[in-house]
Amino acid sequence: MTKLALGTHPFLLGFEQLERLVERTAKSGNDGYPPYNIEQTSENSYRITLAVAGFAEHDLSITVEDSSLVIRGRQGDDSDGRIFLHRGIAARQFQRSFVLAEGVDVGEAVMENGLLHVDLTRAVPERIVQTISIKKG
């Protein structure tokens, strides 16, 4: 039995980009840090919440790159002159990517109690009906 790829299915014309997007998403390995939630806040809006305790606003960057929302965190080493008997809170950097569908716009980002909230909205596409005329051959 032959495996039929999404882009080669006869009823799905022009979906090659979607297939590449699915492959890219499957290959991106995330180590689970930082933990996050994705919630639907209305029919056309979403909120991504990342637990970024210990990060300040200037330690974080949010960009949209090639239809992906990329959130990066980098903390400076603040252990100068300090002696730790136990260090369980590591100053570690991260990069978390979320693939955005066409028509999804990134709204505001808010930092609150160690949580970074990023709001997204999805534009409602117009329903277009197009009539194609048939010419005599």
Side-chain angles (χ1 to χ4, degrees), residues 49-69:
T49 302
L50 279 83
V52 291
F55 287 86
E57 288 88 350
H58 66 271
D59 295 329
L60 302 169
S61 72
I62 303 170
T63 57
V64 177
E65 304 170 10
D66 193 27
S67 73
S68 290
L69 170 67

Side-chain angles (χ1 to χ4, degrees), residues 1-132:
M1 179 175 213
T2 341
K3 181 182 175 193
L4 192 60
L6 178 68
T8 60
H9 193 280
F11 299 130
L12 299 174
L13 300 174
F15 283 88
E16 295 83 10
Q17 182 180 359
L18 179 61
E19 185 175 22
R20 286 191 298 273
L21 184 66
V22 170
E23 288 174 2
R24 186 177 77 188
T25 304
K27 289 179 184 175
S28 67
N30 288 322
D31 64 354
Y33 179 78
Y36 65 93
N37 291 336
I38 301 175
E39 61 182 299
Q40 186 171 4
T41 53
S42 75
E43 187 176 339
N44 295 312
S45 63
Y46 309 92
R47 173 173 269 191
I48 297 173
T49 302
L50 279 83
V52 291
F55 287 86
E57 288 88 350
H58 66 271
D59 295 329
L60 302 169
S61 72
I62 303 170
T63 57
V64 177
E65 304 170 10
D66 193 27
S67 73
S68 290
L69 170 67
V70 180
I71 303 172
R72 293 181 180 92
R74 170 173 270 144
Q75 290 176 311
D77 188 13
D78 62 349
S79 63
D80 295 338
R82 296 165 56 186
I83 299 171
F84 291 95
L85 300 179
H86 172 75
R87 186 157 187 177
I89 303 172
R92 92 189 239 200
Q93 63 185 20
F94 71 87
Q95 176 175 313
R96 178 70 73 177
S97 298
F98 301 91
V99 178
L100 301 176
E102 186 175 326
V104 173
D105 295 317
V106 179
E108 68 177 359
V110 177
M111 195 72 157
E112 176 184 44
N113 298 326
L115 299 174
L116 175 66
H117 303 287
V118 181
D119 292 323
L120 309 170
T121 55
R122 180 172 44 107
V124 180
E126 291 182 31
R127 303 263 182 211
I128 298 174
V129 177
Q130 184 178 4
T131 304
I132 309 300

